[in-house]
Amino acid sequence: MIGSAESPLERLAELLTVASSLGPLPTNEANSVKAVALSIEIEQAAQAHLESSVAVARARGVSWQAIGNAFGITRQAAFKRFGTISTTGIGEETMANPIIDLTSRTENIFEHLSKGDYGSVKSLMTFTCSRVLTKKKVMDVWDQVVADSGQFESCSNTTIQTADGTNVVAQKLNQYLGGGLTGQTQINHEAGEWLGRVAYNGAGKVTGILIVHPMQANNLPF
């Protein structure tokens, strides 16, 4: 399973989601203070993402001239601004732009639920998703599935799809991640089968989970 540590980009995306939920005009003093504190966190996360992007670019051999061009400044100015950023923390995994195995991740999610391990599932969710899909909501649905069809046995026929329903092979996952993907699997229980679907954002984090009877698999939200 892929590690659940947040990247600077994931942290920035989650903070922006929280900020949008507060609205453009805080309605009271407490919310105004919250908005200011949140803005500081967003600024820090954006800076961390910027520095991480420059570090990866330099580790991959991108010149200071090219980085300067991206900012509309000289290579000397780019070096002066970012020259102290270390690239030693950029591991081989980051350098190779590793493929995220969403097929295994999709199956693992339902295997974790079968063991009552909501915590491992939550670690793969975005902040917003974890606020909506609470432990009670998710496990209540799973318990109902078990009550109707018996104990979980396995997952099968797992596929990864783009928004238009096109199947994606593992070697091409990163090419499509920017637009988000959906994992679909057949969840096999002692006395019946269910359809499990997991929506992922561009970073491979979970944005939604569905468990439905195959006969009801029409007009799903994702």
Side-chain angles (χ1 to χ4, degrees), residues 116-131:
D117 185 6
Y118 170 81
S120 291
V121 176
K122 182 181 178 181
S123 72
L124 298 174
M125 295 179 183
T126 63
F127 174 81
T128 302
C129 181
S130 67
R131 292 280 296 272

Side-chain angles (χ1 to χ4, degrees), residues 26-46:
T27 55
N28 54 47
E29 183 178 344
N31 281 345
S32 296
V33 173
K34 237 185 244 185
V36 171
L38 190 57
S39 296
I40 293 171
E41 283 194 77
I42 290 172
E43 181 180 31
Q44 292 171 341

Side-chain angles (χ1 to χ4, degrees), residues 5-194:
E6 279 189 322
S7 70
L9 179 58
E10 290 169 339
R11 178 59 178 160
L12 178 58
E14 293 188 2
L15 288 170
L16 289 172
T17 299
V18 175
S20 65
S21 71
L22 294 178
L25 297 173
T27 55
N28 54 47
E29 183 178 344
N31 281 345
S32 296
V33 173
K34 237 185 244 185
V36 171
L38 190 57
S39 296
I40 293 171
E41 283 194 77
I42 290 172
E43 181 180 31
Q44 292 171 341
Q47 181 64 27
H49 175 53
L50 174 59
E51 292 179 359
S52 175
S53 298
V54 171
V56 171
R58 286 294 297 155
R60 287 178 174 160
V62 177
S63 68
W64 285 116
Q65 183 64 62
I67 292 172
N69 290 343
F71 284 92
I73 58 179
T74 66
R75 63 179 180 178
Q76 291 87 355
F79 176 78
K80 185 173 181 180
R81 180 172 178 182
F82 298 107
T84 59
I85 296 175
S86 173
T87 60
T88 55
I90 309 298
E92 292 181 5
E93 204 172 313
T94 300
M95 291 286 292
N97 194 17
I99 292 172
I100 299 174
D101 187 356
L102 294 185
T103 300
S104 294
R105 178 170 289 193
T106 299
E107 295 178 353
N108 285 339
I109 284 171
F110 297 108
E111 289 168 1
H112 284 310
L113 292 180
S114 74
K115 299 172 183 175
D117 185 6
Y118 170 81
S120 291
V121 176
K122 182 181 178 181
S123 72
L124 298 174
M125 295 179 183
T126 63
F127 174 81
T128 302
C129 181
S130 67
R131 292 280 296 272
V132 176
L133 298 183
T134 62
K135 180 177 182 178
K136 184 177 189 315
K137 287 182 180 178
V138 173
M139 296 314 301
D140 280 353
V141 171
W142 186 263
D143 289 344
Q144 186 59 55
V145 168
V146 172
D148 290 344
S149 302
Q151 293 300 313
F152 169 84
E153 293 183 337
S154 65
C155 288
S156 61
N157 303 322
T158 306
T159 60
I160 306 300
Q161 304 171 346
T162 59
D164 62 4
T166 303
N167 286 356
V168 181
V169 296
Q171 288 78 6
K172 296 292 185 181
L173 282 183
N174 282 353
Q175 178 181 343
Y176 291 100
L177 271 175
L181 294 170
T182 298
Q184 177 172 296
T185 190
Q186 179 176 299
I187 311 171
N188 304 305
H189 285 252
E190 292 176 288
E193 292 77 39
W194 295 77

